[in-house]
């Protein structure tokens, strides 16, 4: 069980860093929180709270398929993709270098009786599009994600 937990923790960290790798991300560049909610409850709460902040969940991707093919038994590992469709479209047109990073993503995985929720700090994206308008956008995303995490923590 400890090995599985470590593997899942390492996988979440690697995936989060991989999303931001050209931006020289490090551990201080992640937004993370631990929820006492079970995985299904946290997953439902996350999707509802994302909607309450005006975002749309575009898809939920299972990550556990690769883990189960490696012999691990888990179905509690997901990436939630979300954004505001028009905003994503406009930003992708104006800043094509952002396309790999949009929509935004949050990773959830079960760890014993808790759920770990993590994403990269959207402020990292200002390295790719440094104008003031986009900087304000990334700070709004960051603020919203922190608020969403705070609601899930309660």
């Amino acid at each position: 069980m400890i090995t599985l937990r470590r593997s899942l923790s390492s996988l979440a960290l690697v995936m989060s860093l991989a999303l931001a790798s050209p931006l020289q991300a490090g551990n201080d560049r992640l937004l993370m929180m631990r929820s006492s909610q079970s995985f299904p409850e946290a997953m439902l709460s996350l999707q509802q709270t994302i909607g309450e902040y005006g975002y749309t969940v575009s898809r939920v991707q299972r990550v556990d398929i690769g883990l189960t093919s490696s012999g691990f038994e888990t179905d509690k590992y997901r990436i939630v993709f979300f954004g505001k469709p028009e905003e994503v479209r406009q930003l992708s047109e104006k800043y094509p270098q952002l396309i790999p990073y949009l929509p935004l993503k949050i990773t959830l995985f079960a760890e014993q009786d808790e759920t770990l929720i993590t994403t990269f700090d959207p402020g990292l994206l200002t390295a790719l599009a440094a104008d003031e308008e986009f900087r304000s956008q990334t700070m709004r995303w960051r603020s919203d994600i922190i608020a969403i995490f705070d609601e899930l923590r309660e």
Side-chain angles (χ1 to χ4, degrees), residues 23-34:
L23 307 174
Q24 300 178 338
N27 290 341
D28 61 333
R29 304 298 183 160
L30 296 176
L31 302 176
M32 300 177 79
M33 62 90 48
R34 187 174 297 274

Side-chain angles (χ1 to χ4, degrees), residues 2-146:
I2 292 173
T3 303
L4 176 59
R5 232 181 313 132
R6 284 185 186 153
S7 296
L8 288 173
S9 297
S10 297
L11 184 59
L13 180 61
V14 168
M15 289 181 62
S16 296
L17 292 174
L19 290 172
S21 60
L23 307 174
Q24 300 178 338
N27 290 341
D28 61 333
R29 304 298 183 160
L30 296 176
L31 302 176
M32 300 177 79
M33 62 90 48
R34 187 174 297 274
S35 173
S36 60
Q37 295 180 17
S38 70
F39 182 83
E41 291 170 334
M43 185 66 166
L44 181 60
S45 294
L46 175 64
Q47 292 181 63
Q48 288 175 338
T49 306
I50 285 172
E52 290 168 6
Y53 279 79
Y55 295 94
T56 300
V57 173
S58 58
R59 78 171 197 249
V60 176
Q61 182 176 332
R62 290 184 62 177
V63 181
D64 57 298
I65 294 172
L67 292 172
T68 54
S69 67
S70 298
F72 295 105
E73 293 184 28
T74 180
D75 63 347
K76 297 176 179 167
Y77 201 108
R78 305 284 187 274
I79 299 174
V80 177
F81 295 80
F82 68 100
K84 296 178 179 177
E86 186 60 25
E87 183 178 82
V88 169
R89 187 188 63 70
Q90 289 174 354
L91 289 169
S92 296
E93 288 175 4
K94 186 171 182 179
Y95 309 104
Q97 67 273 30
L98 296 175
I99 292 172
Y101 304 97
L102 299 174
L104 300 171
K105 301 148 192 75
I106 293 178
T107 303
L108 289 88
F109 65 91
E111 189 171 69
Q112 294 182 342
D113 296 335
E114 298 179 319
T115 304
L116 186 64
I117 304 169
T118 184
T119 189
F120 74 98
D121 184 341
L124 292 170
L125 296 175
T126 59
L128 298 175
D131 66 55
E132 189 56 38
E133 178 184 350
F134 185 67
R135 185 184 181 303
S136 295
Q137 176 69 53
T138 61
M139 292 302 105
R140 184 177 56 78
W141 287 338
R142 184 179 197 283
S143 176
D144 287 350
I145 290 170
I146 289 171

